[in-house]
Amino acid sequence: MNKKIRFTNLVAALACLYGHSALANEGALLEEARTLPAKMVPRLLEVLNEEIAKGGHAQAISVCREKAPQMAKGLSAQTGWQIRRVSLKNRNPLAVPDAWERAVLENFERRLAAGENPANIDHGEVVEVDGKKIFRYMKALPTQTLCLQCHGPTHQLAPGVADKLKELYPDDKATGYGTGQIRGAITAQKPL
Ligand code: HEC
C-alpha cells in the first residue's frame, strides 16, 4: 500500500517535471524562432526598394524571385532552422503550404478579421511528424503599399510587371491584394 503510494507520487513528480521542462523548452524555441524574421525581412525590403529605385518593378521581380529564397537558404544554414515562404495564394508553384501551414494561415486570416494587427500575428508549437517531434513556427507577412505594385489588383500593377509575371508564373494566384492583408508567411521548423 505504502509502496504503491510512493510509486504513484514518483510518477506524478516525473510527469510534472517532464511537463514543465517540455513547456520551458517550447517557450525557448518560440523565443528563438521569433528572432528569425527580423534576420531576413528588413534586409529583403531594403534590397527590394533599392532595386525598384534602380530599375523599376519589373526588374525588381528578381529580388523576390532569387534574393528571397537565397536569404531563406542562407539563414537556414546559419541557424539550423529550415526556413521558407508559403501562401494560401501562392505565386511560386513551390510555395504551397502543407496541411499544418494551411491550418495556421487560415487561423491567421481569422485573427486578422478579428482585428489583430497583422504585423504581430505569429504562431509556434511542438508537433509530431512520423513519430518525431519538431518545433514549427510561422509569422504573417502583411502587405504594405510597396507590395501592391507586384501583388495588387492586376490593373494597378507597376508597368511591365503583369507581362513579366505572366511569363514567369503562369499559375500566379498572388495578385488582387490591398494593404494590411496577409500576403503569406515565413515558415520555420527545427527538430527537437
Ligand atoms: C517587384 C515585385 C514584388 C514586390 C514589390 C513584392 N513582391 Fe512578393 N513576390 C514577387 C515575386 C516575383 C514572387 C515569387 C518569388 C519566387 O519565385 O519564389 C513573390 C513571392 C512572395 C511571397 C512568397 C509566396 C509566394 O506567393 O510565392 C511572399 C510571402 C511575398 N512575395 C510577399 C511580399 C510582400 C509582403 C511584399 C511587400 C512588402 C512583396 N512581396 C513585394 C514579387 C514582388
Side-chain angles (χ1 to χ4, degrees):
M1 175 74 186
N2 214 352
K3 229 182 195 167
K4 199 171 171 191
I5 289 174
R6 252 186 279 143
F7 180 71
T8 317
N9 284 347
L10 180 66
V11 170
L14 278 177
C16 187
L17 264 179
Y18 177 76
H20 279 273
S21 69
L23 266 183
N25 193 16
E26 194 163 1
L29 283 162
L30 180 59
E31 289 283 296
E32 190 184 320
R34 279 185 163 147
T35 66
L36 298 171
K39 292 186 176 136
M40 181 176 152
V41 178
R43 179 72 192 127
L44 192 57
L45 288 179
E46 201 181 19
V47 179
L48 197 54
N49 272 315
E50 275 169 23
E51 205 58 34
I52 290 170
K54 254 196 265 167
H57 288 83
Q59 184 176 320
I61 283 178
S62 69
V63 175
C64 256
R65 186 176 167 81
E66 283 139 34
K67 281 267 159 53
Q70 263 172 29
M71 280 184 193
K73 239 193 198 160
L75 194 55
S76 301
Q78 193 189 319
T79 60
W81 289 81
Q82 209 179 301
I83 302 159
R84 64 186 197 118
R85 299 187 304 170
V86 289
S87 172
L88 290 173
K89 297 202 305 174
N90 57 300
R91 174 160 289 169
N92 184 320
L94 298 175
V96 178
D98 65 22
W100 183 85
E101 287 163 337
R102 177 169 298 277
V104 172
L105 280 167
E106 285 168 356
N107 193 42
F108 282 2
E109 291 295 338
R110 285 191 286 274
R111 288 167 62 179
L112 178 70
E116 221 173 302
N117 177 352
N120 298 334
I121 294 181
D122 70 350
H123 175 74
E125 66 178 312
V126 173
V127 295
E128 208 169 303
V129 180
D130 301 329
K132 287 196 191 101
K133 286 202 162 124
I134 58 175
F135 187 84
R136 300 199 72 174
Y137 174 76
M138 284 176 85
K139 163 110 176 63
L141 294 169
T143 46
Q144 40 180 293
T145 313
L146 161 75
C147 321
L148 304 192
Q149 311 275 348
C150 297
H151 293 293
T154 336
H155 64 278
Q156 278 176 27
L157 297 176
V161 167
D163 288 345
K164 192 104 196 204
L165 289 179
K166 215 177 271 167
E167 178 197 322
L168 295 172
Y169 305 96
D171 296 323
D172 185 20
K173 300 182 194 73
T175 54
Y177 286 87
T179 51
Q181 292 185 309
I182 296 175
R183 180 52 272 280
I186 287 195
T187 174
Q189 63 180 63
K190 189 172 170 167
L192 291 193

